[in-house]
Amino acid sequence: MRRVRDWSLGGKLTLVGVPFLVLALLAVSATLWVSWQLDGGAAAMNEAGRLRMQTWRMAMSAASGDAAALRTQRAEFDRSLALLRHGDADRPLFVPWDDAVRLRFGDVESHWAGFQQRWFDAGAQGAPPRAAPDAAALAADTAAFVARVDAFVAAIETHMSRWTALLFLCQVGMLALAVAAAAAIVYAGFVFVIEPLVALESATLRIREGDLGARVEPASGDEFGTLAEGFNRMADHLQSMYGQLEARVGEKTAELQEKGERLQALYEVTALVAGATTLDELANGFAARIARIARADAAVVRWADEANARFLMIAAEGLPDAMTEAEQCIDAGACRCGVPDPAPQLRVIPIRSEAPELPHCTRFGFATLVTVPVRLHARTTGELDLLFHSERTLSDPERSLLEALASHFAGAMENLRLNALEMEAAVSQERTLLARELHDSIAQSLAFLKIQVQLMRDALAGGDEERIAQVLAEIDAGVRESYGDVRELLIHFRTRANAEDIEPALATTLRKFEHQSGVPARLQMQGHGLPLAPDLQIQVLHIVQEALSNVRKHARASRVWLDVEQQPRWRFEVRDDGIGFAHGPQALGETHVGLRIMRERAERIGAELEVLSTPGRGTSVVLTLPAQRTQAAAPAALPAEAAA
């Protein structure tokens, strides 16, 4: 049989609480039974008390000769006696019988029978007496009978007082039982719960303060005993782990420091790659940083030609001058440096064992050579060489870091090459734009002047003074127009588009037009739409500039308007109040070179160009962009025409 100390916590608490629970149930049951007895006795005592009132009422009816009332009252009195004798099953009413109560009740019944015979002549039919009774004798006999009823009620009260005392005793017992149960439960809680918890708390505080030898002595085999054993096992494990914690912390600290150094190295090289603008700046900066990061005594950056036949030294850090001059350019395969494509992965070469193949490294006291291929798109484009005076091995993280840095350097070199190609393409596009503008404007004017010069020679040869004056005037007008075209080109080449909004560029164009021509111009923007892409802005500006140039040259206008609608499609209209012209293919002819230039530009961007003119009523040039081209493009570098 298990000892009580080995019981579970629930079993112990049940052992303490069940006896008190049984006693409490018994006390409550006794209290309920006594209360039920008191309720029935109280009802019986009340019913017995009614007998006195009924007796006096019958005496009054007999004295007054009211036979009907007397019969009813006698029947009611008999029912009350029967109710007291047998009790009431519908409600708690019963006489608490004992010897004294039975004696008193028998006395009441016997005197009731004599009382009826004496005063009510209660025969078989219960008829009232024929003569009126003596009132004084009736009252005295009635008082004597009522005294016997009072004695019966007093006997019931005496019996009820004993039940009341018993009820009080039960209540006092329940109170004492509650106090005892509370004390027992508190004591059991203290012994079985509080004391083990205090022991656990004390041991926990000792461990928190650094005393890893704190343990809890299991006082029992219940749940707290199991918890104490678990706590002791945890403390043992914690003490064991703490013994190795310092070494682990040291390892983790070194590992974190190494990772931090790698991140710092990547950050430095990334910053160099992002900020370098020339090859010398990039290569020299990379060599200096890689030597410091790898803790190398010297670092060399070599770049291979297209065939990987030669490796050119483009940067060196910490390398002796004599060695720098001797290895400025090496052939692939002539040395352990400069391995042709496909090159192996990172290599660590002990120099002293390779002395015949590495004469320069041996001469200057280097003991270890580390070569890192610089790759771009799976092709070897160069090599990074690290030299150490001591023997050196590389861990896997160091190898991956050097390979990552070499990959960053290869990407940076490729970016420099692409930037150079982009700048070359931009210059080429700018020259193409300049040639087109010169051909579309000044070249046309020069061709016209060439023709006029030939006509001038003919007029001079023929001595035609009138013709000479006419041709000279046309030459003068042509020269003035060419001069105006040159100034206009210079002004327009300085115009820049805005990547977000074309309105500032249009306003600048109108101000330049006013300054050049003296004609007031007004800009009106309507609606709200997505901004135009930079390439579209440049083409629209050139078309607007060409339309304004035509106004300056031919319209003789006093005012100019530029109306821009942004919704539902972009629409640009240049209006003037000039002389206008006859609108038709033959009327335009070859003299309106500017209109042809505008149409070509509009076709280039898929836009519609419409020219509306009436002689004497001005001209309107309307440019409408297609809906699919009005969507704002992502900000991009301006093309060569924007750079112009």
Side-chain angles (χ1 to χ4, degrees), residues 456-501:
M456 174 63 76
R457 289 196 184 100
D458 294 341
L460 289 174
D464 188 349
E465 297 292 338
E466 182 179 354
R467 182 60 177 167
I468 290 172
Q470 181 181 357
V471 172
L472 184 60
E474 291 180 356
I475 291 175
D476 179 67
V479 170
R480 291 177 181 276
E481 184 172 347
S482 297
Y483 177 73
D485 288 341
V486 171
R487 286 184 56 84
E488 186 173 341
L489 285 176
L490 293 176
I491 292 174
H492 289 167
F493 278 148
R494 295 188 182 96
T495 302
R496 294 291 186 269
N498 188 299
E500 294 296 333
D501 193 359

Side-chain angles (χ1 to χ4, degrees), residues 515-526:
H515 177 73
Q516 186 179 14
S517 64
V519 177
R522 178 185 175 187
L523 173 64
Q524 183 175 359
M525 304 286 294
Q526 297 181 2

Side-chain angles (χ1 to χ4, degrees), residues 299-483:
V300 180
V301 179
R302 306 181 189 275
W303 205 251
D305 59 7
E306 192 69 24
N308 288 118
R310 293 178 181 274
F311 285 81
L312 177 65
M313 183 186 299
I314 60 176
E317 178 70 21
L319 200 67
D321 294 339
M323 190 172 176
T324 302
E325 294 177 1
E327 296 192 357
Q328 189 66 34
C329 182
I330 60 175
D331 295 331
C335 179
R336 285 303 184 101
C337 303
V339 178
D341 194 37
Q345 300 295 326
L346 182 147
R347 296 174 298 155
V348 180
I349 304 170
I351 294 176
R352 291 174 183 172
S353 63
E354 305 280 345
E357 298 184 18
L358 302 171
H360 295 101
C361 297
T362 305
R363 175 186 171 190
F364 291 101
F366 293 110
T368 305
L369 168 65
V370 176
T371 63
V372 185
V374 179
R375 297 177 179 273
L376 182 66
H377 305 309
R379 176 181 174 273
T380 300
T381 58
E383 185 177 274
L384 169 64
D385 298 325
L386 301 175
L387 297 162
F388 301 87
H389 286 302
S390 60
E391 294 184 359
R392 179 71 185 275
T393 58
L394 297 179
S395 62
D396 291 339
E398 290 176 330
R399 289 173 177 266
S400 63
L401 176 61
L402 292 177
E403 290 175 350
L405 295 178
S407 177
H408 275 63
F409 179 70
M413 292 289 291
E414 180 67 12
N415 288 337
L416 286 179
R417 187 183 71 85
L418 294 177
N419 289 338
L421 292 177
E422 185 178 355
M423 292 179 62
E424 182 180 352
V427 171
S428 176
Q429 291 181 6
E430 185 174 358
R431 290 176 177 174
T432 301
L433 171 65
L434 181 60
R436 185 187 303 121
E437 293 292 340
L438 292 175
H439 176 270
D440 291 343
S441 57
I442 299 176
Q444 300 289 339
S445 299
L446 292 179
F448 172 75
L449 291 176
K450 181 180 179 181
I451 295 174
Q452 296 302 320
V453 168
Q454 183 61 41
L455 293 176
M456 174 63 76
R457 289 196 184 100
D458 294 341
L460 289 174
D464 188 349
E465 297 292 338
E466 182 179 354
R467 182 60 177 167
I468 290 172
Q470 181 181 357
V471 172
L472 184 60
E474 291 180 356
I475 291 175
D476 179 67
V479 170
R480 291 177 181 276
E481 184 172 347
S482 297
Y483 177 73

Side-chain angles (χ1 to χ4, degrees), residues 521-595:
R522 178 185 175 187
L523 173 64
Q524 183 175 359
M525 304 286 294
Q526 297 181 2
H528 299 280
L530 293 174
L532 293 175
D535 57 338
L536 289 179
Q537 292 190 31
I538 291 298
Q539 297 297 337
V540 170
L541 283 176
H542 280 294
I543 294 174
V544 171
Q545 291 166 0
E546 189 63 38
L548 294 175
S549 178
N550 287 340
V551 172
R552 178 183 60 81
K553 295 177 182 178
H554 310 295
R556 303 177 192 173
S558 59
R559 291 186 64 85
V560 174
W561 296 268
L562 174 55
D563 299 329
V564 181
E565 294 181 3
Q566 302 184 47
Q567 288 180 335
R569 296 193 299 175
W570 282 88
R571 181 178 181 276
F572 302 84
E573 181 179 3
V574 179
R575 297 183 290 114
D576 65 73
D577 58 355
I579 60 174
F581 58 89
H583 187 240
Q586 296 180 352
L588 293 177
E590 293 296 330
T591 59
H592 290 78
V593 179
L595 294 179

Side-chain angles (χ1 to χ4, degrees), residues 578-583 612-620:
I579 60 174
F581 58 89
H583 187 240
L612 305 174
S613 182
T614 302
R617 302 186 63 180
T619 303
S620 293

